[in-house]
């Protein structure tokens, strides 16, 4: 079930937990590993952009409050382009980060203990403990992709399939998070609506830029503002902006 022990030096020891890694980067990750100061480790792999939810590996023990995290991956679209030319190995990158996780009380309940590793778009990492397997995603990239593909499929004719949309959307989400800290589901949906169906540079519009940069903006405010845009404003953004759904920008 997973538990917490305290060693003689007062450091926490997390026993028998399951490991879940959440990938908020635009890259397909081949392997993710977290290691403590005594070389104990937990790992998982094959996590697409925005993925990780529900993918669990078991069972591990880690001790301490300071950990090294390593992951490797590649651009999935580049991988598709180089499937048969012998250049696949050249596409892989390797990343490393340090993370401090203070001793924490275990979440209440008898369900299995999950140690969550969240890899953010700027490649900093955070750790959390949970007894919930679902509903812990912090940046809803996959959910937003499914919404966009379901609601605005006609605007995505330049895309091969939903997986290409997901990889490009994750790149756009990286910008949306780094520049504007967008995490709210509705906010992210409306951001992608504008990017993929109206204009790829929609946030260069002064009014929208001011809304996104507002220090008082609350979750859902951006979505509400976009949903209230007049058809004339949307038409103006489309006429004066760059073509929507740019596969490179973001």
């Amino acid at each position: 079930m997973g538990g917490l022990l305290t060693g003689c030096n007062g450091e926490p020891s997390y026993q028998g937990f399951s490991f879940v890694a959440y990938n908020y980067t635009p890259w397909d990750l081949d392997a993710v590993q977290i290691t403590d100061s005594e070389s104990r480790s937990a790992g998982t792999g094959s996590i697409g952009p925005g993925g990780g939810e529900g993918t669990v590996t078991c069972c591990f023990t880690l001790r301490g409050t300071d950990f090294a995290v390593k992951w490797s991956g590649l651009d999935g679209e580049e991988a598709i382009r180089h499937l048969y030319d012998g250049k696949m190995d050249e596409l892989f990158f390797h990343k490393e980060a340090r993370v401090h996780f203070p001793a924490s009380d275990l979440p209440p309940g008898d369900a299995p203990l999950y140690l969550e590793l969240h890899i953010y778009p700027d490649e900093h990492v955070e750790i959390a403990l949970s007894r919930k397997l679902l509903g812990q995603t912090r940046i809803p990239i996959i959910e937003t992709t499914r919404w966009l593909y379901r609601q605005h499929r006609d605007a995505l004719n330049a895309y091969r399939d939903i997986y290409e949309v997901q990889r490009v959307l994750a790149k756009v989400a990286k910008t949306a998070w780094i520049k504007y800290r967008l995490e709210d589901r509705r906010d992210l949906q409306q951001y992608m609506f504008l990017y993929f169906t109206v204009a790829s540079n929609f946030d260069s519009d002064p009014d929208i830029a001011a809304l996104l940069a507002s220090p008082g903006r609350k979750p859902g405010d951006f979505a509400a503002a976009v949903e209230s845009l007049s058809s004339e404003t949307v038409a103006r953004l489309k006429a004066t902006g760059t073509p929507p759904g740019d596969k490179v920008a973001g």
Side-chain angles (χ1 to χ4, degrees):
M1 302 294 278
L4 174 66
L5 300 176
T6 302
C8 58
N9 59 359
E11 287 195 327
S13 178
Y14 304 98
Q15 304 270 0
F17 64 83
S18 295
F19 181 58
V20 185
Y22 293 85
N23 173 25
Y24 307 125
T25 77
W27 320 122
D28 287 81
L29 301 188
D30 175 64
V32 178
Q33 184 180 64
I34 181 170
T35 305
D36 67 17
S37 60
E38 298 176 11
S39 298
R40 285 176 291 265
S41 65
T44 187
S46 298
I47 311 173
E53 184 177 51
T55 303
V56 177
T57 52
C58 183
C59 298
F60 304 101
T61 295
L62 291 176
R63 182 175 298 154
T65 58
D66 292 285
F67 304 94
V69 179
K70 295 181 179 180
W71 65 96
S72 60
L74 45 62
D75 183 324
E77 289 302 306
E78 284 295 311
I80 291 172
R81 286 189 280 271
H82 292 282
L83 276 176
Y84 306 110
D85 62 7
K87 297 182 179 180
M88 185 71 72
D89 289 345
E90 300 173 14
L91 302 179
F92 277 90
F93 60 79
H94 302 276
K95 300 285 186 176
E96 185 170 351
R98 307 288 303 186
V99 58
H100 178 72
F101 185 57
S104 302
D105 293 335
L106 295 184
D110 297 323
L113 178 67
Y114 301 106
L115 187 144
E116 302 170 358
L117 179 71
H118 298 262
I119 306 175
Y120 277 81
D122 63 354
E123 298 181 349
H124 88 274
V125 297
E126 296 181 7
I127 294 175
L129 297 173
S130 174
R131 295 196 188 274
K132 297 179 180 179
L133 181 57
L134 302 177
Q136 304 302 97
T137 300
R138 297 179 179 178
I139 305 177
I141 292 169
I142 290 180
E143 182 181 357
T144 302
T145 301
R146 291 171 177 166
W147 173 87
L148 183 71
Y149 206 71
R150 183 173 62 250
Q151 298 295 327
H152 301 286
R153 180 77 173 270
D154 291 346
L156 303 172
N157 291 329
Y159 286 83
R160 179 185 66 252
D161 52 32
I162 192 172
Y163 302 105
E164 185 181 15
V165 174
Q166 180 178 327
R167 291 185 177 111
V168 174
L169 188 146
K171 292 177 181 178
V172 181
K174 176 180 178 179
T175 297
W177 190 85
I178 290 175
K179 291 179 68 174
Y180 309 120
R181 287 300 189 266
L182 286 191
E183 296 182 0
D184 178 77
R185 174 183 57 84
R186 288 181 57 235
D187 285 341
L188 205 57
Q189 286 176 351
Q190 294 307 311
Y191 190 97
M192 298 308 169
F193 160 73
L194 290 176
Y195 185 92
F196 284 92
T197 75
V198 179
S200 296
N201 68 339
F202 71 89
D203 57 341
S204 64
D205 177 82
D207 292 336
I208 291 179
L211 174 63
L212 286 166
S214 171
R217 177 173 53 80
K218 298 180 178 63
D221 284 354
F222 178 73
V226 174
E227 289 166 351
S228 67
L229 290 176
S230 67
S231 57
E232 291 79 12
T233 298
V234 172
R236 176 181 58 78
L237 290 172
K238 191 163 190 173
T240 59
T242 58
D246 187 342
K247 296 183 182 182
V248 178

